[in-house]
């Protein structure tokens, strides 16, 4: 009786994209340990999604999730041109431009001519936008500190090492000491629902 050969589980290996992020290329066998780690990450991600949603709830009248994502990128990366911002957000330039226009109305971002190239503008986060990002970050850090404090000390040490290795494999750079205090993260919730809030004076969503 003919039997099909055993199926080997595979996972995608990553190569770096031009922006420094991994991009799928080849496959490699997935070990049981890797499967267990992925399952643990997915479980932990549910906690992070909850923390993200609760921290944004207090600013939902000011920005949407995608607008906050834009502020986080500008706050962490500094001034960039439009094409650079679009690349970092993973959207086309016209979508990034509409996002910036709405955030400009809300006074959460800045736009100025590039002194090195008068044909392009530099986009950055305004003082008000930076305050909003850090306000959300403070709440997230507070909630995460509460969770981490409930862990045994030796398990926290193991978690730090594992997460650093995970971030390195994903192409996420280690933050500088100055960046750590202002770090923020977002959860991309996909297409915004009709209940999503807009920046003041934003007009129709993209």
């Amino acid at each position: 009786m003919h039997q099909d050969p055993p199926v080997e589980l595979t996972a995608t290996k990553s190569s770096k994209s031009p922006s420094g992020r991994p991009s799928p290329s080849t496959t490699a066998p997935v070990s049981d340990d890797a499967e267990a780690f992925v399952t643990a990450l997915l479980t932990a991600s549910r906690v992070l999604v909850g923390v993200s949603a609760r921290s944004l709830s207090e600013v939902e009248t000011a920005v949407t999730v995608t607008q906050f994502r834009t502020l986080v990128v500008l706050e962490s990366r500094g001034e960039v041109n439009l094409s650079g911002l679009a690349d970092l957000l993973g959207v086309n330039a016209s979508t990034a431009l509409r996002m910036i226009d709405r955030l400009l109305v809300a006074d959460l971002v800045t736009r100025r001519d590039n002194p090195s190239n008068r044909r392009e503008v530099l986009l950055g986060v305004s003082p008000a936008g930076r305050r909003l990002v850090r306000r959300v970050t403070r709440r997230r850090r507070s909630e995460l500190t509460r969770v981490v404090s409930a862990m045994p000390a030796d398990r926290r040490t193991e978690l730090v090492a594992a997460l650093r290795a995970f971030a390195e494999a994903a192409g996420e750079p280690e933050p500088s000491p100055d960046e750590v205090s202002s770090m923020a993260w977002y959860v991309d919730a996909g297409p915004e629902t009709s209940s999503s809030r807009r920046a003041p004076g934003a007009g129709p969503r993209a």
Side-chain angles (χ1 to χ4, degrees):
M1 178 177 179
H2 175 73
Q3 291 184 343
D4 292 331
V7 177
E8 183 180 45
L9 292 175
T10 60
T12 300
K13 276 186 177 179
S14 296
S15 61
K16 293 296 179 64
S17 67
S19 63
R21 300 287 183 180
S23 57
S25 56
T26 59
T27 58
V30 174
S31 67
D32 290 341
D33 287 346
E35 287 286 353
F37 189 68
V38 169
T39 299
L41 282 174
L42 290 173
T43 302
S45 72
R46 293 202 295 266
V47 177
L48 297 178
V49 167
V51 171
S52 177
R54 288 190 294 274
S55 65
L56 280 172
S57 64
E58 62 184 54
V59 297
E60 65 180 356
T61 57
V63 292
T64 65
V65 171
T66 49
Q67 288 167 352
F68 182 74
R69 176 188 180 192
T70 303
L71 294 177
V72 168
V73 168
L74 291 175
E75 204 271 345
S76 61
R77 300 282 181 162
E79 288 185 313
V80 296
N81 60 25
L82 183 63
S83 63
L85 178 62
D87 183 57
L88 290 168
L89 293 175
V91 300
N92 59 45
S94 61
T95 298
L97 179 59
R98 290 194 296 271
M99 187 73 65
I100 286 296
D101 285 342
R102 294 164 187 168
L103 292 171
L104 279 167
V105 171
D107 195 31
L108 295 174
V109 297
T110 61
R111 180 167 58 191
R112 68 184 181 92
D113 291 335
N114 186 346
S116 301
N117 183 353
R118 305 298 291 183
R119 292 180 296 179
E120 72 175 19
V121 297
L122 293 176
L123 308 168
V125 64
S126 71
R130 183 171 287 107
R131 286 194 297 271
L132 187 147
V133 169
R134 295 188 178 187
R135 175 183 171 188
V136 171
T137 303
R138 282 194 298 271
R139 177 165 180 179
R140 292 179 176 181
R141 292 183 70 92
S142 177
E143 286 208 42
L144 291 175
T145 298
R146 175 179 56 79
V147 174
V148 171
S149 297
M151 297 174 59
D154 58 335
R155 304 308 297 272
R156 292 200 296 265
T157 301
E158 295 172 3
L159 180 62
V160 169
L163 290 179
R164 281 179 171 163
F166 177 77
E168 181 180 354
E172 185 68 24
E174 183 80 9
S176 68
D178 290 339
E179 290 177 311
V180 170
S181 62
S182 62
M183 283 180 68
W185 40 269
Y186 58 86
V187 174
D188 191 345
E192 296 173 10
T193 65
S194 58
S195 60
S196 297
R197 301 295 197 274
R198 299 188 298 258
R205 284 188 294 270

